[in-house]
Amino acid sequence: MELNGQEYSHPVQEFAYAEWNRLQQLAASQHINSDCKPIWLGTWEQLQNVDTTLLERMRNKRASIYSDSFFITEYDNHIVIAGKGQRAVLFGVYQYAQEVWGLHAVYPQLDEASCEFTIQDSDKLSPFRPGEIRYYSPRMERRGFVFETIHDIPYLTAMLHWFGQNKINEIFFTFSLWDKVKEELSPEIIKRGIDVTLGGHSMKFIQGLHSSNVSMNQQEKVTADHPYTAKEQFDFEQLDWQESMFEQIAHYCRSVPGLTRLSLWPEDIAAGNTSEFLQQYIAFTERLQTYLFHAGISIEVEHIAYNAGLAWNMLELEGESSQHIDTLFAYWGRDYRYSYEKSDHETDHRAERALRQWSEQTTKHGRKLTVFEYYSDHFMLTNLFSVLTRRITEDVAFYEQLGLEGMLNLVVPYRGDEDYPWKWAGGLNSYIFARAMWSDHLEQIIEEYYLHYPQHERKAVKEIIDLLENKLSEVTSWNVPLFPARAVDPGKVAHAAPYNQEIAAMLDDIAEQVGQAVLHSCLEEHHQVSKLAIYVSGYAKRLSEQWLSAAK
């Protein structure tokens, strides 16, 4: 059983084979026993032409509805990694490297000084027994990250590499960001087979691609400086501008490699109190889908249900959902301390009711529903950024139980004057999200994360990270009362007088508890976790003083 050149001529499979050789050599350089049997890499369809007996043993498993399912076995003096699709083969290579060679990619490699992999303890390795078959399948089909404004080629390239290592299958760009990064990132996307979604709040960008005067709702025109209010809303009831925009979208999309889906959203501003807005916008996306179909462009189109500017009429469904396009549900304003069900806030309960209604309707019409979360969003979570291990894993279980198509995680960088390592700070939530989309064993996910640290540091690191999770998630509870400001914006909130003392008390508690934890920790001050905790304690104290000063 050998893989000939023709069989791995597909770019993803060719890359998978190259990665296998690279990782085997890396393992050997780390004095890990990587002497192994010959490797066979391929899809289930290719395996059918080579060994029907082995494939027959996987008959029940092959019924999986998920495109990235794969299995690994040692069979007939070979290692066999076989995937339902080409991308699944690549995922299988990284899975084998982690389980057998201990090469574990916890954080993306952002520079040459950092390591690509954590080398796991030898007692954590899991070599295959002869004839043993291990089967792997995700909990949902779509598992993606959303990038709206991060024009950082090295970071995005590192994230794409990390996606393959952690079995993420989708990257979502706004049109404007994609236009800036497409030349450098396209080759990286192609060889990993990552699905590309274009969209987001990109209507203005597309408007700039053509000369037609787009009809706007002038009643929604505002001039405030804040990004949530400095926009006009499109008038989707007017049809005169839409076909020219569809033409520009079709022309643009023809040149995007790996483009799977369009998810084009209204502007990020409340649409007023009209109940018709959401249905008018959905009708716009349906017309877009029809136009693309007749233009010979075979991609999916979805609409978003999103409470922009806290507008419920843009999130809640009235009547029937679309019978023709899929839905992306994005509720902004969760208190991430709680599940929907256990939240103290009626707004979270209302959002859950809306989500369940969308789920019922999309199921009824045979459409797909994906949820959009903010686990790596440094605007929502602020630079008092909360670790969300329990929230993420519980959310994944809840959404899986609802039968959702998938989950997307938004990455928003920290933008401010503080010396704050947002890429590293947000890495744990990204890791937990990626892993939870494949496993419901939280304890194992957490244990494998802490293997990233030397054994003598793990207990101390865990104590601080657990404290940051317990204390900082409360910061998200203020996003709705202070909207569009947050608990880190004491100088931007004119209506916050009733809250000043309460917010200051929360921040004082964070400063005290985290400061004490650092004081009693055995970690060195220059340790990344210690540095983050020291920053959090000092920053929370400064913010508390500013809130109290504003109350005078």
Side-chain angles (χ1 to χ4, degrees):
M1 180 189 295
E2 293 186 2
L3 189 67
N4 60 42
Q6 183 178 4
E7 287 183 293
Y8 62 83
S9 61
H10 188 284
V12 178
Q13 204 164 323
E14 185 175 1
F15 181 64
Y17 197 71
E19 282 292 270
W20 172 269
N21 290 328
R22 182 180 74 88
L23 298 180
Q24 187 178 25
Q25 293 173 13
L26 177 61
S29 72
Q30 298 294 323
H31 307 292
I32 300 168
N33 181 15
S34 61
D35 293 334
C36 58
K37 301 173 183 178
I39 180 70
W40 188 94
L41 301 175
T43 64
W44 295 348
E45 182 179 359
Q46 290 170 324
L47 187 59
Q48 180 73 42
N49 299 324
V50 176
D51 193 314
T52 56
T53 302
L54 177 57
L55 198 60
E56 185 66 22
R57 292 173 61 189
M58 298 301 297
R59 174 180 293 276
N60 293 336
K61 298 295 187 181
R62 285 188 290 128
S64 169
I65 62 173
Y66 299 122
S67 62
D68 289 326
S69 300
F70 62 93
F71 68 82
I72 306 174
T73 186
E74 292 195 5
Y75 173 78
D76 192 23
N77 202 39
H78 280 73
I79 296 169
V80 176
I81 300 177
K84 187 171 184 178
Q86 301 286 352
R87 183 174 57 213
V89 178
L90 177 63
F91 291 166
V93 168
Y94 292 123
Q95 187 72 36
Y96 186 96
Q98 177 180 333
E99 293 188 11
V100 180
W101 299 332
L103 303 179
H104 189 198
V106 176
Y107 288 96
Q109 186 180 20
L110 299 178
D111 53 56
E112 294 183 358
S114 59
C115 295
E116 179 184 5
F117 294 102
T118 297
I119 308 300
Q120 291 187 339
D121 300 343
S122 59
D123 62 343
K124 301 297 182 182
L125 302 184
S126 181
F128 282 75
R129 300 184 303 274
E132 178 187 5
I133 300 177
R134 298 179 192 171
Y135 177 77
Y136 308 83
S137 190
R139 301 171 74 179
M140 300 180 209
E141 176 63 29
R142 285 181 75 180
R143 308 174 306 281
F145 280 71
V146 179
F147 300 95
E148 295 180 322
T149 60
I150 304 176
H151 185 197
D152 185 336
I153 298 295
Y155 171 70
L156 293 173
T157 301
M159 287 297 288
L160 276 168
H161 190 47
W162 184 88
F163 286 175
Q165 295 164 335
N166 287 277
K167 303 186 287 293
I168 292 294
N169 66 359
E170 178 179 340
I171 187 166
F172 185 128
F173 296 102
T174 56
F175 274 78
S176 57
L177 179 58
W178 173 253
D179 209 55
K180 297 173 184 175
V181 303
K182 58 187 178 183
E183 297 299 330
E184 292 86 353
L185 296 190
S186 289
E188 303 300 323
I189 290 169
I190 291 170
K191 67 186 181 183
R192 292 173 175 84
I194 302 295
D195 292 341
V196 174
T197 297
L198 287 186
H201 303 295
S202 296
M203 300 283 287
K204 290 289 184 67
F205 175 84
I206 299 168
Q207 176 187 357
L209 296 177
H210 64 89
S211 58
S212 300
N213 292 322
V214 177
S215 175
M216 305 292 289
N217 186 343
Q218 295 301 314
Q219 293 180 348
E220 296 293 340
K221 187 173 182 179
V222 291
T223 57
D225 293 331
H226 193 278
Y228 280 86
T229 55
K231 298 178 177 70
E232 304 166 284
Q233 192 54 268
F234 280 80
D235 185 349
F236 293 101
E237 185 178 15
Q238 298 296 320
L239 303 180
D240 53 355
W241 56 272
Q242 295 185 19
E243 185 158 343
S244 59
M245 181 172 281
F246 296 162
E247 181 181 355
Q248 290 299 323
I249 292 172
H251 177 74
Y252 192 94
C253 289
R254 292 184 192 278
S255 62
V256 181
L259 182 61
T260 302
R261 183 180 297 102
L262 279 182
S263 184
L264 194 59
W265 310 339
E267 292 298 277
D268 203 348
I269 180 175
N273 295 320
T274 60
S275 59
E276 295 82 10
F277 175 84
L278 185 56
Q279 291 300 332
Q280 291 167 355
Y281 156 64
I282 292 173
F284 162 83
T285 58
E286 291 175 333
R287 288 190 289 272
L288 172 59
Q289 181 191 51
T290 300
Y291 186 95
L292 294 175
F293 174 79
H294 289 298
I297 300 176
S298 180
I299 58 175
E300 298 177 18
V301 176
E302 72 181 3
H303 74 87
I304 195 170
Y306 162 58
N307 57 327
L310 306 184
W312 288 101
N313 66 309
M314 299 176 72
L315 181 77
E316 293 175 318
L317 175 64
E318 292 191 10
E320 297 280 311
S321 66
S322 174
Q323 299 183 36
H324 307 291
I325 61 171
D326 300 329
T327 301
L328 178 64
F329 182 90
Y331 166 54
W332 197 96
R334 283 186 69 183
D335 182 343
Y336 272 133
R337 290 177 295 177
Y338 308 113
S339 65
Y340 288 100
E341 182 181 17
K342 296 180 180 179
S343 177
D344 290 340
H345 308 285
E346 172 55 28
T347 50
D348 288 346
H349 297 305
R350 185 174 177 179
E352 181 188 6
R353 292 193 294 270
L355 174 60
R356 289 186 180 277
Q357 185 179 12
W358 279 109
S359 178
E360 292 170 3
Q361 281 290 311
T362 52
T363 300
K364 173 183 175 181
H365 294 303
R367 305 310 311 177
K368 302 170 186 174
L369 177 63
T370 299
V371 74
F372 183 102
E373 284 290 357
Y374 303 83
Y375 304 136
S376 301
D377 179 353
H378 279 81
F379 181 83
M380 173 183 273
L381 295 175
T382 79
N383 46 318
L384 289 176
F385 188 88
S386 177
V387 177
L388 296 172
T389 59
R390 291 188 298 274
R391 175 58 30 244
I392 293 170
T393 53
E394 290 177 7
D395 282 355
V396 173
F398 172 61
Y399 296 141
E400 180 186 30
Q401 178 266 329
L402 278 181
L404 301 193
E405 173 74 2
M407 295 176 66
L408 302 180
N409 178 37
L410 176 64
V411 181
V412 174
Y414 166 71
R415 301 188 187 280
D417 299 328
E418 299 283 333
D419 182 16
Y420 174 70
W422 69 267
K423 294 175 184 176
W424 183 86
L428 176 52
N429 284 357
S430 295
Y431 172 78
I432 296 295
F433 170 73
R435 290 296 310 278
M437 294 300 286
W438 285 79
S439 172
D440 59 359
H441 300 298
L442 173 60
E443 293 77 12
Q444 180 182 354
I445 295 172
I446 294 298
E447 179 185 3
E448 291 181 354
Y449 169 76
Y450 286 110
L451 294 176
H452 176 70
Y453 300 95
Q455 189 169 16
H456 68 278
E457 294 180 354
R458 291 170 191 166
K459 183 175 183 293
V461 168
K462 187 176 187 304
E463 288 174 351
I464 290 180
I465 288 180
D466 285 349
L467 180 63
L468 293 177
E469 177 165 13
N470 291 333
K471 291 297 178 182
L472 296 185
S473 57
E474 185 179 356
V475 174
T476 64
S477 69
W478 291 102
N479 286 336
V480 170
L482 301 178
F483 185 85
R486 305 152 300 161
V488 298
D489 299 321
K492 299 180 181 180
V493 189
H495 62 281
Y499 307 125
N500 289 41
Q501 297 286 344
E502 190 175 350
I503 295 171
M506 174 193 71
L507 294 167
D508 279 339
D509 183 55
I510 291 171
E512 173 66 19
Q513 295 291 330
V514 176
Q516 286 295 317
V518 173
L519 187 63
H520 294 95
S521 175
C522 64
L523 297 177
E524 299 288 340
E525 283 191 11
H526 65 269
H527 192 285
Q528 186 73 66
V529 174
S530 292
K531 288 166 61 178
L532 179 63
I534 292 168
Y535 167 80
V536 164
S537 179
Y539 182 57
K541 186 62 178 176
R542 296 196 304 274
L543 282 175
S544 172
E545 294 169 354
Q546 292 173 36
W547 278 106
L548 291 176
S549 177
K552 296 177 181 178

